[in-house]
Amino acid sequence: MKKNEFFFKQGPFALNVLIKSINCKNDFKSKELSKDKVYGIETLDKATNGDITFLNSSKYKDYSIKTKAIACITSSNLSNFLPKKCIKIIVNNVLLETNKIMNQFYPKADIDYPDPDLIISSNIKKNYPKVFFGKNVLIGKNVKIGKNTFIGNNTIIESNVLIGENCNIGSFVLIKNSLIKNFVNIKDGSKIGIKGFGFIPVKNKNLRSPQIGRVLLEDGVEVGANCTIDRGSISDTVIGRNTFLDNLIHIAHNVKIGENCIFAAQSGVAGSTNIGNNVIMGGQGGISGHLKIGDYVRIAGGSAVLKDVLKGQVGGNPAMPIREFVKLRKKKWKKIQLIKKR
């Protein structure tokens, strides 16, 4: 039941009311659950005994077996990975039914509505005596900005955003749903904290999914020009201390990147991937979703990482150990030379 400073949350709801609103396969007796109150929806590891959660993959069984949630939306084949005390809500489509619950708690989080409380910075400069604003900067309610921070021209900082000390925010930057620590550098045109690519495909229609997480930028992070960092869907998107992102990089929702990483231009990381410390990825590299990348891993430019890489160096599409990649390239090069001689 963590506090969400960016989205208005409705509830609490009786558990039996929530169950009735989805396509549940269990045969619960309504009176048994009417006294159980649910205060929010959280991830398996963050949920308390007042929250509902969900489990849609065995990848998360290490978290699910320890969850403290009062109830969990899951499938019959995954229900064994939950504690006995946790009420198992069995459904056919976990993400679809979870989406229905999320919409009840957060009915306005499926679209990025414009912030109605923006004020031109020159009108509230007295609130930020040690902050340097460019021209036409718009600031929302309850924004906190540390001393010696520069905000460039035509930048928008929406309500409840926190920016630390000694930061440099470029021009035409948009920041929402984000907590930014000290000595962070965000270059021109980047968008931080926007809604990620969250949707549920159903027959003949795509349903938008609420995205209620945040973006956390730790001390010393650098974000290049025209990057996009999506906020988390339920958990947060996190960029670790002293990690540098080049220009034109996309970081999807729920991604966790460790400390001292370097990502070259036009890289991308798909949702819910966890990346360790001191990782380097070359330009135009891509990492698929829900993967684990270990500390000190090196990813060659243009690589497509489709499975976990816990150590070493990889390259190619699909990515493979770098020595295998080099051997394969040599073989292909020899074949090309033979064809040219014909």
Side-chain angles (χ1 to χ4, degrees):
M1 291 184 293
K2 71 180 181 184
K3 181 182 177 182
N4 193 317
E5 57 270 80
F6 297 109
F7 297 98
F8 174 74
K9 182 171 69 173
Q10 295 190 342
F13 299 99
L15 181 56
N16 64 327
V17 172
L18 293 177
I19 291 174
K20 284 181 180 179
S21 69
I22 64 176
N23 294 318
C24 175
K25 297 171 70 175
N26 306 64
D27 186 20
F28 290 114
K29 292 182 179 180
S30 182
K31 290 183 179 179
E32 292 179 356
L33 306 177
S34 61
K35 294 181 181 180
D36 294 321
K37 296 293 183 181
V38 181
Y39 292 84
I41 181 166
E42 291 288 347
T43 55
L44 291 159
D45 56 328
K46 301 296 184 183
T48 69
N49 59 5
D51 296 317
I52 194 170
T53 189
F54 68 99
L55 173 64
N56 69 318
S57 172
S58 60
K59 282 187 175 184
Y60 303 106
K61 62 183 180 181
D62 291 341
Y63 295 113
S64 65
I65 201 68
K66 299 176 183 177
T67 189
K68 297 177 181 179
I70 186 174
C72 181
I73 304 167
T74 190
S75 58
S76 56
N77 61 316
L78 295 174
S79 61
N80 291 332
F81 297 126
L82 290 164
K84 290 182 179 181
K85 290 183 179 181
C86 183
I87 298 169
K88 289 86 173 172
I89 303 171
I90 308 302
V91 299
N92 287 326
N93 189 327
V94 175
L95 295 181
L96 175 61
E97 306 307 332
T98 300
N99 191 57
K100 293 176 183 178
I101 299 294
M102 286 184 66
N103 272 301
Q104 293 181 64
F105 282 106
Y106 299 96
K108 292 188 176 181
D110 60 338
I111 293 177
D112 274 351
Y113 295 97
D115 187 342
D117 298 317
L118 296 175
I119 300 173
I120 193 81
S121 62
S122 57
N123 294 342
I124 52 173
K125 183 65 175 72
K126 64 181 180 180
N127 297 336
Y128 305 97
K130 296 184 179 181
V131 177
F132 304 90
F133 293 104
K135 294 181 179 180
N136 197 37
V137 174
L138 298 177
I139 306 292
K141 279 186 178 180
N142 304 316
V143 170
K144 296 180 180 179
I145 305 174
K147 63 183 180 181
N148 301 322
T149 287
F150 289 78
I151 312 293
N153 302 324
N154 302 295
T155 282
I156 299 173
I157 301 173
E158 295 198 0
S159 295
N160 300 310
V161 164
L162 170 64
I163 299 175
E165 299 178 359
N166 299 293
C167 295
N168 184 40
I169 313 299
S171 297
F172 294 97
V173 171
L174 171 63
I175 303 175
K176 59 172 67 182
N177 312 304
S178 299
L179 305 178
I180 297 171
K181 291 193 175 180
N182 304 319
F183 297 99
V184 171
N185 182 26
I186 301 174
K187 296 182 182 178
D188 298 348
S190 286
K191 314 300 178 189
I192 313 296
I194 67 170
K195 182 179 181 292
F197 198 46
F199 65 96
I200 309 296
V202 295
K203 187 177 181 181
N204 300 324
K205 189 176 183 180
N206 293 324
L207 299 177
R208 293 187 182 92
S209 179
Q211 307 277 284
I212 60 171
R214 306 169 298 182
V215 170
L216 309 181
L217 301 185
E218 302 290 349
D219 289 343
V221 165
E222 176 155 323
V223 179
N226 296 310
C227 292
T228 301
I229 303 178
D230 297 340
R231 66 177 180 268
S233 56
I234 298 180
S235 64
D236 297 323
T237 301
V238 182
I239 311 296
R241 184 180 63 85
N242 197 45
T243 283
F244 280 29
L245 307 179
D246 197 358
N247 304 328
L248 297 166
I249 286 177
H250 178 224
I251 305 298
H253 58 207
N254 307 329
V255 168
K256 309 287 191 297
I257 299 179
E259 299 180 355
N260 303 311
C261 297
I262 300 172
F263 286 48
Q266 298 183 336
S267 302
V269 183
S272 300
T273 282
N274 286 311
I275 298 173
N277 301 323
N278 300 289
V279 173
I280 296 177
M281 181 158 65
Q284 296 187 329
I287 302 176
S288 191
H290 300 269
L291 299 183
K292 292 182 180 179
I293 308 298
D295 295 344
Y296 296 99
V297 165
R298 301 292 185 263
I299 301 169
S303 299
V305 180
L306 306 179
K307 59 182 181 180
D308 294 349
V309 180
L310 302 182
K311 61 180 181 180
Q313 303 179 48
V314 296
N317 184 359
M320 61 191 76
I322 198 69
R323 289 185 178 180
E324 292 180 22
F325 173 61
V326 171
K327 288 179 181 179
L328 184 62
R329 287 293 300 268
K330 285 181 179 179
K331 287 181 180 179
K332 287 184 176 181
W333 179 254
K334 287 180 180 179
K335 286 182 180 180
I336 291 171
Q337 297 306 308
L338 290 172
I339 293 170
K340 284 182 178 180
K341 291 178 180 179
R342 291 178 183 174

